[in-house]
Amino acid sequence: MFLGNIPLGAGLSSSAALEMGTVLALAKLYGIEKDKTTMAKIGQKAEHTFAGCPCGLLDQASSLYGKEGALVKSDFRYCQFENVDLGPTVAFMMVKSNAKHALVDGAYASRRQACEDAAKYFAGVLKKGNVTHLRDVTMAEWVLYRGGLSETTAKRAVHPIGEDERVLQGAALLDKGDLKGFGALMYDSHESSRNWFENSCEELDAIVDAAKAIPEVYGARLSGGGFGGSCCLLVDPAAADAISAKITKEYKAKFGDEPTCSVIQPSDGAHLV
């Protein structure tokens, strides 16, 4: 029997949570010893072969490497994971829209293919080392050489290039306790999703736009793969009720129904009890 409180279709990695819980249980039941990264890859393979979604390793690894009060900084080239403290004065608010989240209709796969095509293009035009992924491309290089790509492929490629840079900047800002600076990067990330990767939607954009007008919200972006689901807000927890009320009021005025707002704190990853 599986029990859980992650809303289905909310874009909050319910499938990864189920996969990691199952892997841990079966490993215990049959006396199998696997490290966390290997377990995460087993869950990823299930997504690829059973669900038909060519996802990365983010959701599964985050489900296992989580730590109370910290974020997971992931390097997927080397499969290295470390925790970055978030700090005690903030929390996240997940705002679930009523736009159903789905990644298996081809939209996610087409964007992944565009990024792979762009990486091959940059490998051919950049005069440096071995370029294998878009993480090897800087924003300046994208600006310089984007003309050799189709407009759509260029737009898709700039999003992960920017995201890689934002992750490094964000970790450095958290080390200094600069929560507002980190929040600004969250807003930048959402704008990149909205304008370049085009994996947002009207409902998610409305939530982020409403959040920008609330001083106690430091940052906001769509959660996970987008295409519906939820937004993640970095908030002052003391103002959570007021934030929820304002977001709900604006969302209901625009769409006629209410989102679901939940305050959450980072916790330890999946483990046996």
Side-chain angles (χ1 to χ4, degrees), residues 78-99:
Y78 304 106
C79 283
Q80 295 176 344
F81 307 94
E82 59 182 285
N83 296 110
V84 180
D85 288 338
L86 182 61
T89 60
V90 291
F92 288 110
M93 178 179 287
M94 301 306 302
V95 182
K96 178 183 176 294
S97 75
N98 295 307

Side-chain angles (χ1 to χ4, degrees), residues 193-272:
S193 282
R194 187 198 308 232
N195 298 315
W196 299 113
F197 214 57
E198 296 180 300
N199 62 325
S200 188
C201 65
E202 186 180 10
E203 292 87 348
L204 298 180
D205 292 342
I207 293 169
V208 172
D209 289 342
K212 288 180 179 178
I214 305 173
E216 294 83 6
V217 179
Y218 305 127
R221 69 181 299 277
L222 60 80
S223 176
F227 302 108
S230 303
C231 284
C232 179
L233 282 56
L234 184 68
V235 305
D236 176 354
D241 290 343
I243 294 169
S244 176
K246 290 178 182 178
I247 296 286
T248 298
K249 180 180 178 180
E250 294 208 18
Y251 188 94
K252 187 174 182 179
K254 189 164 188 176
F255 301 107
D257 53 9
E258 296 185 0
T260 302
C261 301
S262 305
V263 177
I264 62 170
Q265 296 282 1
S267 61
D268 290 339
H271 56 279
L272 294 170

Side-chain angles (χ1 to χ4, degrees), residues 17-254:
L18 175 61
E19 291 154 8
M20 294 305 93
T22 302
V23 168
L24 284 167
L26 292 177
K28 176 67 174 179
L29 183 62
Y30 292 104
I32 300 171
E33 295 186 4
K34 298 290 183 182
D35 61 81
K36 290 182 179 180
T37 300
T38 300
M39 289 183 177
K41 289 180 177 179
I42 291 171
Q44 180 191 33
K45 187 174 181 180
E47 295 276 5
H48 290 185
T49 59
F50 181 77
C53 179
C55 66
L57 200 60
L58 174 65
D59 292 354
Q60 291 79 9
S62 298
S63 290
L64 288 173
Y65 283 98
K67 178 185 174 184
E68 184 175 357
L71 305 184
V72 181
K73 180 184 175 187
S74 306
D75 184 331
F76 293 107
R77 169 169 286 168
Y78 304 106
C79 283
Q80 295 176 344
F81 307 94
E82 59 182 285
N83 296 110
V84 180
D85 288 338
L86 182 61
T89 60
V90 291
F92 288 110
M93 178 179 287
M94 301 306 302
V95 182
K96 178 183 176 294
S97 75
N98 295 307
K100 188 176 180 181
H101 168 81
L103 295 182
V104 295
D105 62 356
Y108 177 87
S110 70
R111 282 154 178 75
R112 174 168 179 156
Q113 185 61 56
C115 290
E116 292 175 352
D117 293 343
K120 292 177 182 178
Y121 164 76
F122 282 111
V125 299
L126 293 179
K127 307 301 181 183
K128 64 173 187 179
N130 186 26
V131 176
T132 60
H133 296 79
L134 290 177
R135 66 180 285 168
D136 301 313
V137 182
T138 66
M139 191 66 73
E141 290 166 339
W142 176 84
V143 171
L144 187 61
Y145 293 105
R146 61 173 294 189
L149 294 168
S150 71
E151 180 180 357
T152 297
T153 301
K155 288 171 65 175
R156 301 297 182 253
V158 75
H159 179 65
I161 293 172
E163 290 288 78
D164 277 339
E165 295 183 0
R166 282 186 284 273
V167 165
L168 299 177
Q169 294 166 5
L173 289 169
L174 287 179
D175 282 340
K176 296 188 295 184
D178 187 350
L179 295 171
K180 290 187 176 180
F182 182 84
L185 291 177
M186 292 177 67
Y187 283 130
D188 290 345
S189 174
H190 186 81
E191 289 307 306
S192 181
S193 282
R194 187 198 308 232
N195 298 315
W196 299 113
F197 214 57
E198 296 180 300
N199 62 325
S200 188
C201 65
E202 186 180 10
E203 292 87 348
L204 298 180
D205 292 342
I207 293 169
V208 172
D209 289 342
K212 288 180 179 178
I214 305 173
E216 294 83 6
V217 179
Y218 305 127
R221 69 181 299 277
L222 60 80
S223 176
F227 302 108
S230 303
C231 284
C232 179
L233 282 56
L234 184 68
V235 305
D236 176 354
D241 290 343
I243 294 169
S244 176
K246 290 178 182 178
I247 296 286
T248 298
K249 180 180 178 180
E250 294 208 18
Y251 188 94
K252 187 174 182 179
K254 189 164 188 176

